[in-house]
Amino acid sequence: LTAAAVATAAAHVHAHGDAKKTAAIAVGAVATSAVKKHAHGHEEAVHMGTSHSISLKRQLYRSTQKHRSSTKVVHKTAYYGQVELGTPRQAFTVVFDTGSGNLMVPSTYCSSRACSMHRRFNRKFSTTAEDIEADGSPSRKGAPRDQITVTFGTGEISGIFLQDDACIGNLCTNVRFVGATEETEDPFSSFKFDGVLGLALPQMSQGPEFSLMDRLVESKVLKQPLFSVFLSDSDMEASEITFGDIKEEHMTSPMFWQPVSRDTGYWQVQISDITINNQNQHLCSNCQVAVDTGTSQLAGPTSVINDLSQRLDVKTDCSNYASLPKLGFVVGEHILNLSPQDYVDKGPDGCQVSLMPLDVPPPNGPLFIFGDPFLRKYYTAYDRANSRVGFAQARHIDGQPEQLLVSLNGPGSVFRAPAPEVADEETFGSGAAGAFLARSASAR
């Protein structure tokens, strides 16, 4: 949500006086619990699957950013859309966040101003809601409840665990989520949206059953086991997230795919180098980049940013702004370029490189975070079944696009290989996917 929120969110579960329960949860009991059949008889439809696109609204807001001894005001953007919970459905606006793993919305158990100014989930109004503990077991009425606290930048959300039906348009499944019991004033009272829908990989969720994307895939309601994101900063075209499909009309280039490179929970891929005007700089050959729809900034390792700042030589008086080069990141056989307007903060106080320092140690780092400035230039897709990220230059309606996506092998090379096999649609619920969820459980 804020730039600092893209760093690994600190989450802790506490059972209020039950130390053994806390320990069991901490070692990963939540990830190994089985999916239950619910008392209300919810049956997930098995059919060929469909797709659904949600239009995203855009909020511009101001935030203060502290770096060393200085503080500056940063203009940020948030994109959010609607999800519905419960029976009958209760509608909420959420940020669809690939940098976090849980669905979190305010609940009527929360009376703070940050909650009360937003829509709150009323558990008593839903006939299909269940009160659960962190491991999915039913809560006992009047007994202490497992709670979770998640840190988002300068603020925190605390909440209890619930289970209910969730719908994105006509795509519905049953999911576990967090109902907030407390939200800090900063930053949540400044947001127009109600909550966060985490779309990171399961390692970042409280457990497999908390991953809405995985639940949709397992329910077989999706046309394809993926989602795609198109962002715009223009009022002339709608931003949207599409579950179950990729839209060709949002692309000016073919989509290329890169495998997820680390089991961190982020949708992150390997960078082999950084370029300036398509020239290799031999920087950060072992870096990673995480694509994060929940942040409005770009971030990277301090040492690399300092080196880049010297090479880019952005004048503080903006005198060379018009002649600044493209900044690129080599991903697979392509260079993903950013223009000066994407990596330079240009305002009344002058110009400076806008990449925020973020130091993630190996093996998960060094790590760059690509937020909204990148996502407005590139249409991205997130393939859950094959654990890969797709990139294509985005098509916008406001004029001719820049040539930002560069192929390193020209028109491509032709080669012979064994005929590809058709993917088995049933493997997600077992086999490879089962092994993935098992690895997730053992890692927690």
Side-chain angles (χ1 to χ4, degrees), residues 238-276:
S239 301
E240 67 175 15
I241 180 169
T242 300
F243 288 86
D245 207 358
I246 297 169
K247 292 191 170 183
E248 297 285 337
E249 63 262 34
H250 288 321
M251 305 187 299
T252 64
S253 68
M255 181 165 282
F256 75 93
W257 296 89
Q258 284 297 113
V260 171
S261 53
R262 295 284 190 276
D263 289 333
T264 62
Y266 280 124
W267 291 95
Q268 69 183 77
V269 299
Q270 181 79 36
I271 297 175
S272 57
D273 202 355
I274 296 174
T275 63
I276 294 178

Short mmCIF file of all heavy atoms in Angstrom, two decimals, residues 238-276:
data_model
loop_
_atom_site.label_atom_id
_atom_site.label_comp_id
_atom_site.label_asym_id
_atom_site.label_seq_id
_atom_site.Cartn_x
_atom_site.Cartn_y
_atom_site.Cartn_z
N ALA A 238 -9.95 3.08 -18.54
CA ALA A 238 -10.14 2.43 -17.26
C ALA A 238 -9.00 1.47 -16.95
O ALA A 238 -8.56 0.71 -17.82
CB ALA A 238 -11.47 1.67 -17.25
N SER A 239 -8.52 1.51 -15.72
CA SER A 239 -7.61 0.48 -15.24
C SER A 239 -8.45 -0.74 -14.85
O SER A 239 -9.62 -0.60 -14.47
CB SER A 239 -6.83 1.00 -14.03
OG SER A 239 -6.09 2.15 -14.35
N GLU A 240 -7.85 -1.92 -14.93
CA GLU A 240 -8.62 -3.10 -14.57
C GLU A 240 -7.73 -4.27 -14.22
O GLU A 240 -6.56 -4.35 -14.61
CB GLU A 240 -9.57 -3.51 -15.71
CG GLU A 240 -8.90 -4.02 -16.97
CD GLU A 240 -9.90 -4.51 -18.02
OE1 GLU A 240 -11.11 -4.20 -17.88
OE2 GLU A 240 -9.49 -5.21 -18.95
N ILE A 241 -8.30 -5.18 -13.44
CA ILE A 241 -7.67 -6.47 -13.16
C ILE A 241 -8.62 -7.53 -13.69
O ILE A 241 -9.84 -7.43 -13.52
CB ILE A 241 -7.39 -6.66 -11.65
CG1 ILE A 241 -6.72 -8.01 -11.39
CG2 ILE A 241 -8.64 -6.50 -10.81
CD1 ILE A 241 -6.18 -8.17 -9.98
N THR A 242 -8.06 -8.51 -14.38
CA THR A 242 -8.86 -9.57 -15.00
C THR A 242 -8.47 -10.90 -14.38
O THR A 242 -7.30 -11.29 -14.41
CB THR A 242 -8.65 -9.62 -16.52
OG1 THR A 242 -9.03 -8.36 -17.09
CG2 THR A 242 -9.49 -10.73 -17.15
N PHE A 243 -9.44 -11.61 -13.84
CA PHE A 243 -9.21 -12.94 -13.29
C PHE A 243 -9.61 -13.98 -14.33
O PHE A 243 -10.72 -13.96 -14.84
CB PHE A 243 -10.02 -13.14 -12.00
CG PHE A 243 -9.47 -12.37 -10.83
CD1 PHE A 243 -9.85 -11.06 -10.62
CD2 PHE A 243 -8.57 -12.95 -9.94
CE1 PHE A 243 -9.35 -10.33 -9.55
CE2 PHE A 243 -8.06 -12.24 -8.88
CZ PHE A 243 -8.45 -10.93 -8.67
N GLY A 244 -8.66 -14.84 -14.67
CA GLY A 244 -8.96 -15.95 -15.57
C GLY A 244 -8.60 -15.75 -17.02
O GLY A 244 -8.80 -16.65 -17.83
N ASP A 245 -8.03 -14.59 -17.39
CA ASP A 245 -7.73 -14.38 -18.80
C ASP A 245 -6.70 -13.26 -18.99
O ASP A 245 -6.43 -12.48 -18.06
CB ASP A 245 -9.01 -14.01 -19.57
CG ASP A 245 -8.94 -14.40 -21.04
OD1 ASP A 245 -7.89 -14.92 -21.48
OD2 ASP A 245 -9.95 -14.18 -21.75
N ILE A 246 -6.13 -13.20 -20.21
CA ILE A 246 -5.22 -12.14 -20.64
C ILE A 246 -5.89 -11.43 -21.81
O ILE A 246 -6.39 -12.09 -22.73
CB ILE A 246 -3.86 -12.71 -21.06
CG1 ILE A 246 -3.18 -13.38 -19.86
CG2 ILE A 246 -2.96 -11.63 -21.65
CD1 ILE A 246 -1.95 -14.19 -20.24
N LYS A 247 -5.89 -10.11 -21.81
CA LYS A 247 -6.58 -9.35 -22.85
C LYS A 247 -5.58 -8.78 -23.85
O LYS A 247 -4.75 -7.93 -23.51
CB LYS A 247 -7.39 -8.22 -22.22
CG LYS A 247 -8.59 -8.72 -21.41
CD LYS A 247 -9.49 -7.56 -21.04
CE LYS A 247 -10.80 -8.05 -20.45
NZ LYS A 247 -11.73 -6.93 -20.15
N GLU A 248 -5.69 -9.26 -25.07
CA GLU A 248 -4.78 -8.82 -26.13
C GLU A 248 -4.88 -7.32 -26.40
O GLU A 248 -3.90 -6.69 -26.79
CB GLU A 248 -5.10 -9.59 -27.43
CG GLU A 248 -4.89 -11.10 -27.36
CD GLU A 248 -3.43 -11.47 -27.38
OE1 GLU A 248 -2.61 -10.67 -27.88
OE2 GLU A 248 -3.10 -12.58 -26.89
N GLU A 249 -6.05 -6.74 -26.16
CA GLU A 249 -6.22 -5.32 -26.48
C GLU A 249 -5.40 -4.41 -25.57
O GLU A 249 -5.25 -3.22 -25.85
CB GLU A 249 -7.70 -4.92 -26.41
CG GLU A 249 -8.33 -5.07 -25.04
CD GLU A 249 -9.12 -6.37 -24.89
OE1 GLU A 249 -8.71 -7.38 -25.48
OE2 GLU A 249 -10.14 -6.34 -24.18
N HIS A 250 -4.86 -4.95 -24.50
CA HIS A 250 -4.03 -4.14 -23.60
C HIS A 250 -2.54 -4.21 -23.95
O HIS A 250 -1.72 -3.64 -23.24
CB HIS A 250 -4.21 -4.60 -22.15
CG HIS A 250 -5.55 -4.24 -21.57
ND1 HIS A 250 -6.17 -3.04 -21.82
CD2 HIS A 250 -6.38 -4.92 -20.73
CE1 HIS A 250 -7.33 -3.01 -21.18
NE2 HIS A 250 -7.48 -4.13 -20.53
N MET A 251 -2.19 -4.91 -25.04
CA MET A 251 -0.77 -5.14 -25.35
C MET A 251 -0.39 -4.56 -26.69
O MET A 251 -1.13 -4.66 -27.66
CB MET A 251 -0.47 -6.65 -25.33
CG MET A 251 -0.84 -7.35 -24.03
SD MET A 251 -0.28 -9.06 -23.97
CE MET A 251 -1.14 -9.79 -25.35
N THR A 252 0.81 -3.95 -26.77
CA THR A 252 1.37 -3.54 -28.05
C THR A 252 2.50 -4.46 -28.49
O THR A 252 3.08 -4.28 -29.55
CB THR A 252 1.93 -2.10 -27.97
OG1 THR A 252 3.02 -2.07 -27.04
CG2 THR A 252 0.86 -1.12 -27.54
N SER A 253 2.84 -5.43 -27.65
CA SER A 253 3.89 -6.41 -27.98
C SER A 253 3.43 -7.77 -27.47
O SER A 253 2.56 -7.86 -26.61
CB SER A 253 5.20 -6.01 -27.29
OG SER A 253 5.10 -6.16 -25.88
N PRO A 254 4.01 -8.85 -28.01
CA PRO A 254 3.67 -10.17 -27.48
C PRO A 254 4.10 -10.27 -26.02
O PRO A 254 5.06 -9.64 -25.59
CB PRO A 254 4.48 -11.13 -28.36
CG PRO A 254 4.82 -10.35 -29.59
CD PRO A 254 4.95 -8.93 -29.15
N MET A 255 3.38 -11.06 -25.26
CA MET A 255 3.75 -11.27 -23.85
C MET A 255 4.86 -12.32 -23.78
O MET A 255 4.82 -13.34 -24.46
CB MET A 255 2.53 -11.72 -23.05
CG MET A 255 2.81 -11.94 -21.57
SD MET A 255 1.29 -12.03 -20.58
CE MET A 255 0.87 -10.27 -20.45
N PHE A 256 5.87 -12.03 -22.97
CA PHE A 256 6.88 -13.05 -22.69
C PHE A 256 6.82 -13.40 -21.20
O PHE A 256 6.37 -12.61 -20.38
CB PHE A 256 8.28 -12.58 -23.10
CG PHE A 256 8.91 -11.56 -22.18
CD1 PHE A 256 9.73 -11.95 -21.13
CD2 PHE A 256 8.69 -10.20 -22.38
CE1 PHE A 256 10.31 -11.01 -20.30
CE2 PHE A 256 9.27 -9.25 -21.55
CZ PHE A 256 10.09 -9.67 -20.50
N TRP A 257 7.27 -14.62 -20.89
CA TRP A 257 7.11 -15.15 -19.55
C TRP A 257 8.45 -15.42 -18.89
O TRP A 257 9.40 -15.84 -19.54
CB TRP A 257 6.30 -16.44 -19.59
CG TRP A 257 4.89 -16.25 -20.07
CD1 TRP A 257 4.45 -16.31 -21.37
CD2 TRP A 257 3.75 -15.95 -19.27
NE1 TRP A 257 3.10 -16.07 -21.43
CE2 TRP A 257 2.64 -15.85 -20.15
CE3 TRP A 257 3.55 -15.78 -17.90
CZ2 TRP A 257 1.35 -15.59 -19.69
CZ3 TRP A 257 2.26 -15.51 -17.45
CH2 TRP A 257 1.18 -15.41 -18.34
N GLN A 258 8.51 -15.20 -17.59
CA GLN A 258 9.68 -15.52 -16.78
C GLN A 258 9.24 -16.27 -15.54
O GLN A 258 8.24 -15.93 -14.91
CB GLN A 258 10.41 -14.24 -16.34
CG GLN A 258 11.23 -13.59 -17.44
CD GLN A 258 12.38 -14.47 -17.92
OE1 GLN A 258 12.37 -14.92 -19.07
NE2 GLN A 258 13.34 -14.74 -17.06
N PRO A 259 9.98 -17.33 -15.18
CA PRO A 259 9.59 -18.12 -14.00
C PRO A 259 9.83 -17.35 -12.70
O PRO A 259 10.75 -16.54 -12.61
CB PRO A 259 10.51 -19.35 -14.08
CG PRO A 259 11.71 -18.87 -14.84
CD PRO A 259 11.19 -17.87 -15.84
N VAL A 260 8.98 -17.58 -11.72
CA VAL A 260 9.22 -17.05 -10.38
C VAL A 260 10.52 -17.65 -9.87
O VAL A 260 10.72 -18.87 -9.93
CB VAL A 260 8.05 -17.38 -9.45
CG1 VAL A 260 8.38 -17.02 -8.00
CG2 VAL A 260 6.79 -16.65 -9.90
N SER A 261 11.42 -16.80 -9.39
CA SER A 261 12.80 -17.24 -9.13
C SER A 261 13.09 -17.58 -7.68
O SER A 261 14.13 -18.17 -7.38
CB SER A 261 13.78 -16.15 -9.59
OG SER A 261 13.43 -14.90 -9.03
N ARG A 262 12.22 -17.22 -6.75
CA ARG A 262 12.45 -17.51 -5.34
C ARG A 262 11.13 -17.89 -4.67
O ARG A 262 10.07 -17.40 -5.05
CB ARG A 262 13.04 -16.29 -4.60
CG ARG A 262 14.42 -15.88 -5.06
CD ARG A 262 15.49 -16.82 -4.53
NE ARG A 262 16.83 -16.29 -4.78
CZ ARG A 262 17.50 -16.44 -5.92
NH1 ARG A 262 16.94 -17.08 -6.92
NH2 ARG A 262 18.72 -15.94 -6.05
N ASP A 263 11.21 -18.75 -3.66
CA ASP A 263 10.02 -19.16 -2.92
C ASP A 263 9.75 -18.21 -1.75
O ASP A 263 9.63 -18.64 -0.60
CB ASP A 263 10.18 -20.60 -2.40
CG ASP A 263 10.11 -21.63 -3.52
OD1 ASP A 263 9.46 -21.33 -4.53
OD2 ASP A 263 10.70 -22.70 -3.37
N THR A 264 9.65 -16.92 -2.03
CA THR A 264 9.45 -15.92 -0.98
C THR A 264 7.98 -15.58 -0.80
O THR A 264 7.60 -15.01 0.22
CB THR A 264 10.21 -14.63 -1.32
OG1 THR A 264 9.67 -14.12 -2.55
CG2 THR A 264 11.69 -14.87 -1.47
N GLY A 265 7.17 -15.89 -1.79
CA GLY A 265 5.78 -15.45 -1.79
C GLY A 265 5.55 -14.28 -2.73
O GLY A 265 4.43 -14.03 -3.15
N TYR A 266 6.63 -13.54 -3.06
CA TYR A 266 6.52 -12.47 -4.04
C TYR A 266 6.47 -13.05 -5.45
O TYR A 266 7.05 -14.11 -5.73
CB TYR A 266 7.73 -11.53 -3.97
CG TYR A 266 7.69 -10.50 -2.87
CD1 TYR A 266 8.72 -10.41 -1.94
CD2 TYR A 266 6.64 -9.59 -2.77
CE1 TYR A 266 8.70 -9.46 -0.93
CE2 TYR A 266 6.61 -8.64 -1.77
CZ TYR A 266 7.64 -8.58 -0.86
OH TYR A 266 7.61 -7.63 0.14
N TRP A 267 5.82 -12.34 -6.35
CA TRP A 267 5.92 -12.65 -7.78
C TRP A 267 7.21 -12.00 -8.26
O TRP A 267 7.20 -10.90 -8.81
CB TRP A 267 4.71 -12.10 -8.53
CG TRP A 267 3.41 -12.79 -8.22
CD1 TRP A 267 2.48 -12.41 -7.31
CD2 TRP A 267 2.91 -13.98 -8.84
NE1 TRP A 267 1.43 -13.28 -7.32
CE2 TRP A 267 1.65 -14.26 -8.25
CE3 TRP A 267 3.40 -14.84 -9.83
CZ2 TRP A 267 0.87 -15.36 -8.61
CZ3 TRP A 267 2.62 -15.93 -10.20
CH2 TRP A 267 1.38 -16.18 -9.60
N GLN A 268 8.33 -12.67 -8.03
CA GLN A 268 9.62 -12.08 -8.36
C GLN A 268 10.38 -12.91 -9.38
O GLN A 268 10.26 -14.14 -9.43
CB GLN A 268 10.47 -11.87 -7.11
CG GLN A 268 10.98 -13.13 -6.43
CD GLN A 268 11.75 -12.79 -5.16
OE1 GLN A 268 11.17 -12.47 -4.12
NE2 GLN A 268 13.08 -12.90 -5.23
N VAL A 269 11.16 -12.21 -10.23
CA VAL A 269 11.92 -12.86 -11.28
C VAL A 269 13.38 -12.37 -11.23
O VAL A 269 13.69 -11.38 -10.57
CB VAL A 269 11.32 -12.57 -12.68
CG1 VAL A 269 9.90 -13.12 -12.77
CG2 VAL A 269 11.33 -11.08 -12.99
N GLN A 270 14.23 -13.07 -11.94
CA GLN A 270 15.67 -12.76 -11.94
C GLN A 270 15.97 -11.60 -12.89
O GLN A 270 15.41 -11.50 -13.98
CB GLN A 270 16.46 -13.98 -12.38
CG GLN A 270 17.97 -13.82 -12.41
CD GLN A 270 18.59 -13.93 -11.03
OE1 GLN A 270 18.13 -14.71 -10.21
NE2 GLN A 270 19.64 -13.16 -10.77
N ILE A 271 16.86 -10.69 -12.46
CA ILE A 271 17.43 -9.66 -13.33
C ILE A 271 18.86 -10.06 -13.64
O ILE A 271 19.62 -10.41 -12.73
CB ILE A 271 17.46 -8.28 -12.63
CG1 ILE A 271 16.06 -7.78 -12.30
CG2 ILE A 271 18.16 -7.25 -13.50
CD1 ILE A 271 16.07 -6.50 -11.50
N SER A 272 19.25 -10.01 -14.91
CA SER A 272 20.64 -10.36 -15.26
C SER A 272 21.52 -9.13 -15.39
O SER A 272 22.75 -9.24 -15.33
CB SER A 272 20.69 -11.18 -16.55
OG SER A 272 20.08 -10.49 -17.62
N ASP A 273 20.93 -7.93 -15.55
CA ASP A 273 21.72 -6.70 -15.60
C ASP A 273 20.77 -5.50 -15.62
O ASP A 273 19.56 -5.65 -15.76
CB ASP A 273 22.61 -6.67 -16.85
CG ASP A 273 23.82 -5.73 -16.70
OD1 ASP A 273 23.89 -5.04 -15.67
OD2 ASP A 273 24.66 -5.70 -17.61
N ILE A 274 21.37 -4.33 -15.49
CA ILE A 274 20.66 -3.06 -15.62
C ILE A 274 21.27 -2.31 -16.79
O ILE A 274 22.49 -2.37 -17.00
CB ILE A 274 20.77 -2.23 -14.32
CG1 ILE A 274 20.08 -2.97 -13.17
CG2 ILE A 274 20.16 -0.85 -14.49
CD1 ILE A 274 20.27 -2.32 -11.82
N THR A 275 20.44 -1.63 -17.58
CA THR A 275 20.94 -0.93 -18.76
C THR A 275 20.62 0.56 -18.69
O THR A 275 19.66 0.98 -18.03
CB THR A 275 20.32 -1.50 -20.06
OG1 THR A 275 18.90 -1.28 -20.04
CG2 THR A 275 20.61 -2.99 -20.20
N ILE A 276 21.43 1.35 -19.37
CA ILE A 276 21.15 2.77 -19.60
C ILE A 276 21.19 2.97 -21.11
O ILE A 276 22.20 2.68 -21.76
CB ILE A 276 22.19 3.67 -18.91
CG1 ILE A 276 22.06 3.54 -17.38
CG2 ILE A 276 22.01 5.13 -19.33
CD1 ILE A 276 23.05 4.35 -16.59
#
